[in-house]
Amino acid sequence: MIVSKSSTWHLADAISDCQPPSLSRDGYALVDPGAFSDAGELASLCGRMCVPINWGKDFTGLPMLIDLRQCDARQKEWLESALADDLEAQQRFPLFRPRVCGYLETLVSADVVASHLGQQMLVLPIDKSGNRSGSAALWRFFDPRVFANLCWLLDADRFAALTGPISTWLFPWFGNWFELATSPVRITGVNAAERIAGFMRIDIEVWERAQRVALVNQVLARLALPPDISWSQRASVANHIETAVAVAKDRLHWDEREDQARYAEHVVRYGLAFLTHPKLAPYWTLREAQRTPGSWADLAALLTTEEYDVLAQQAMNTVPTLPPANFSNTAALGTRDL
């Protein structure tokens, strides 16, 4: 996809807290058909499926774009009810799969938006030499549990290529709604050099980080941060979780995802008090040298209940003390191997 920027913008400054969108106004609702238990009402809305290039007739996993101007009052009320139910469910189950994934505003037609989103969904990891490095995948970046993390993981150019002609993108994350004010780009055609057999190229380093986002969300849910914190605060915590997950896997050689998640949770929850604990410091050295085996349970057994209590007392509030997230990083999630 060849895009032309209308202006420069910074992701860190483009996102703000907002109220859930009113679907009674114009604009587009982006929904996940697979999250609806009854697709009958959804089918009557005449939405447009966001279908990748050369896709078959199986639309499983693909989003639907609904032009709210073409919906009558009853249909809009039904969508509003689904959105409200999503919000309530997310209060109790933070990782709940939402039905209404976003509210979009743009000056282009629904057909153009649906086509653009669909064309971004097939990706193929490549290495620095431009060679294929990994399996092709369907990238469900529209899922707000994914999209919210992309806002701090992707650099501005890659993110602009995803959002394309969309000027406003509202999305939920952990029970709150946030507004992304983008700088829309002009679509001038499909660049074959950017694709391999219809798949968008994506850097392998970006793709490897992409696989951590599910764990990032899981750890965020376990930390149970205050519901009223801002997007930038939650994104900062997510950034530190992602870094800790990478350390657990690459430096401390924990292959089990649960071990990686537990390590990241403790790093963010207890900080230096955990990392520099006298009983644990020698353990980190042994793990890095691959001179001691074991899972997270083996590490946990090194500390007594009383010592964990002391860690909790020493731990500071992570939200105001963490430095800002690095909004120039890259990555993604929401994949299905093809």
Side-chain angles (χ1 to χ4, degrees), residues 7-176:
S7 63
T8 58
W9 60 290
H10 301 283
L11 282 173
D13 303 322
I15 300 175
S16 58
D17 302 1
C18 70
Q19 295 297 314
S22 172
L23 302 184
S24 61
R25 58 181 177 175
D26 294 342
Y28 300 98
L30 189 63
V31 303
D32 183 355
F36 286 83
S37 58
D38 180 7
E41 182 72 23
L42 192 63
S44 70
L45 301 184
C46 299
R48 295 161 176 81
M49 296 299 297
C50 303
V51 183
I53 296 174
N54 300 325
W55 196 256
K57 296 183 178 180
D58 181 4
F59 294 158
T60 302
L62 302 182
M64 174 186 287
L65 189 71
I66 299 172
D67 188 344
L68 296 172
R69 291 170 297 183
Q70 297 182 0
C71 296
D72 58 33
R74 183 190 61 81
Q75 292 171 327
K76 289 182 178 180
E77 182 179 354
W78 181 78
L79 283 171
E80 289 271 16
S81 177
L83 188 151
D85 289 345
D86 283 354
L87 191 59
E88 181 181 355
Q90 288 166 355
Q91 306 297 331
R92 295 179 289 121
F93 308 105
L95 301 182
F96 173 82
R97 179 182 179 182
R99 291 169 292 179
V100 180
C101 296
Y103 169 83
L104 315 180
E105 292 180 344
T106 178
L107 296 178
V108 302
S109 69
D111 287 337
V112 171
V113 176
S115 175
H116 172 78
L117 295 178
Q119 289 178 24
Q120 307 304 308
M121 294 179 65
L122 290 184
V123 294
L124 182 66
I126 59 170
D127 60 23
K128 294 185 182 298
S129 300
N131 299 316
R132 177 171 177 167
S133 181
S135 301
L138 174 68
W139 187 18
R140 284 171 42 90
F141 67 88
F142 65 91
D143 186 321
R145 297 168 298 182
V146 178
F147 189 83
N149 286 288
L150 296 187
C151 292
W152 63 269
L153 282 168
L154 289 179
D155 63 41
D157 288 343
R158 186 69 178 87
F159 196 85
L162 279 186
T163 56
I166 298 164
S167 58
T168 302
W169 191 313
L170 274 62
F171 59 93
W173 195 30
F174 283 92
N176 293 338

Side-chain angles (χ1 to χ4, degrees), residues 123-128 133-135 153 202-216 242 245-246 249-250 257 260 330-333 335:
V123 294
L124 182 66
I126 59 170
D127 60 23
K128 294 185 182 298
S133 181
S135 301
L153 282 168
I202 188 167
D203 185 85
I204 185 59
E205 293 181 1
V206 173
W207 199 240
E208 287 175 347
R209 293 189 66 197
Q211 313 315 308
R212 300 173 192 151
V213 175
L215 282 184
V216 169
E242 194 261 342
V245 168
K249 181 179 186 298
D250 300 332
R257 292 169 63 85
Q260 298 166 16
T330 49
L333 176 75
T335 64

